[in-house]
Amino acid sequence: MVTVMGGEETRKGPWTEQEDSQLVCFVRLFGERRWDFIARVSGLNRTGKSCRLRWVNYLHPGLKRGRMTPQEERLILELHSKWGNRWSRIARRLPGRTDNEIKNYWRTHMRKKAQERKSSYSSSSSSSSLTYESSLTSNLPPMLGGIENLNHNQTGTLSCIVSAAKEMNHDPGVMHAYPMEQIWKDIEKSEAKVAAPPCQVNQTGAASGRDYCFAESFLRMENELKKLFLPPVQLEGLFC
DNA sequence: AACCTTAGCAACCGCAAACGG
DNA sequence: CCCGTTTGCGGTTGCTAAGGT
């Protein structure tokens, strides 16, 4: 879907694999900030907001996919009873899960369960001093491993990221060598309005259109960064 | 097989907080 | 302190696949 905003076309709706790969690459380059800049310079024709959401909820390398474990389920129930609909806060206690995921999960699973429990408790006697919540708290096991312990190959998303990086000849290790903070400062200083023209996908096929998009985006970005006093050696290393 | 309902999920929207000049 | 911009959050919508009739 495409909406027209002020003459520029802004894409909406589901993300394509190509867009995902492009976003992953640019986030790796510039980090998880300045979403508007990333949106503009990548030529994705998405809003910064949309890019951020896509990254946070779907493309982020630390994401755990698949069903909630019973431990996670209990933790969500416990924390929701404590904090209410503070999804982002709850999500911080569940490594690899996003607020959106938890919110959706609650809506479909937990709310129903909570209601069932509530009704069953209200119908039963209140003689027991041990509430469901307190029993949860006392029996909670430690959270299963942190993000670093996740098996990244378990998710299609992760393999997609890896393949995207490989495809683009990108060495993730390179990034750590660059002073991104400095780059950002420089960008902020001299950020000219980068008029990102709509990415042109040719009519013959998506593959060539994709290559064109990447090439054009990088060219655009390279030109921008060249204005920022970066030595050519660093610049070469920066691009995928 | 066709239609309807429901569950699950991705994505959008509006608002408010945080940030920077 | 003010104001514009960016980011984060929570609510909501819309699409799709699965299951039921």
Side-chain angles (χ1 to χ4, degrees), chain A residues 2 36 47 91 98 109-110 122 127 159 163-164 172 183 194 199 225 240:
Chain A
V2 170
D36 274 359
T47 63
T98 68
H109 292 80
M110 308 303 280
S122 63
S127 59
S159 62
S163 66
I183 292 175
V194 189
C199 197
L225 291 178
C240 305

Side-chain angles (χ1 to χ4, degrees), chain A residues 76-137:
Chain A
I76 290 170
L77 199 58
E78 183 214 347
L79 294 178
H80 186 270
S81 72
K82 218 191 278 182
W83 296 330
N85 295 356
R86 304 294 303 277
W87 304 117
S88 61
R89 196 171 172 182
I90 294 171
R92 278 182 226 126
R93 300 287 289 272
L94 287 108
R97 301 293 186 185
T98 68
D99 54 349
N100 206 34
E101 196 177 4
I102 293 169
K103 183 169 57 181
N104 283 331
Y105 189 77
W106 174 264
R107 284 179 62 83
T108 53
H109 292 80
M110 308 303 280
R111 194 166 53 179
K112 202 165 74 178
K113 279 190 183 179
Q115 280 169 356
E116 281 169 8
R117 286 186 185 279
K118 200 178 171 184
S119 59
S120 70
Y121 275 111
S122 63
S123 62
S124 66
S125 77
S126 57
S127 59
S128 169
S129 62
L130 182 66
T131 65
Y132 178 64
E133 283 165 19
S134 65
S135 69
L136 278 173
T137 324

Side-chain angles (χ1 to χ4, degrees), chain A residues 219-232:
Chain A
L219 193 63
R220 189 185 311 137
M221 199 166 61
E222 189 173 7
N223 286 334
E224 281 305 303
L225 291 178
K226 272 178 179 168
K227 296 177 196 166
L228 304 176
F229 324 112
L230 283 173

Side-chain angles (χ1 to χ4, degrees), chain A residues 177-207:
Chain A
Y178 296 100
M180 290 311 297
E181 286 305 314
Q182 187 55 45
I183 292 175
W184 277 115
K185 280 179 189 165
D186 290 339
I187 289 172
E188 279 154 11
K189 275 186 212 159
S190 64
E191 184 181 332
K193 297 296 173 197
V194 189
C199 197
Q200 294 174 27
V201 178
N202 72 25
Q203 293 168 340
T204 55

Side-chain angles (χ1 to χ4, degrees), chain A residues 3 14 33 37 42 47 95 108 145 171 197-198 240:
Chain A
T3 59
R33 50 179 297 196
F37 176 81
S42 64
T47 63
T108 53
D171 177 5
C240 305

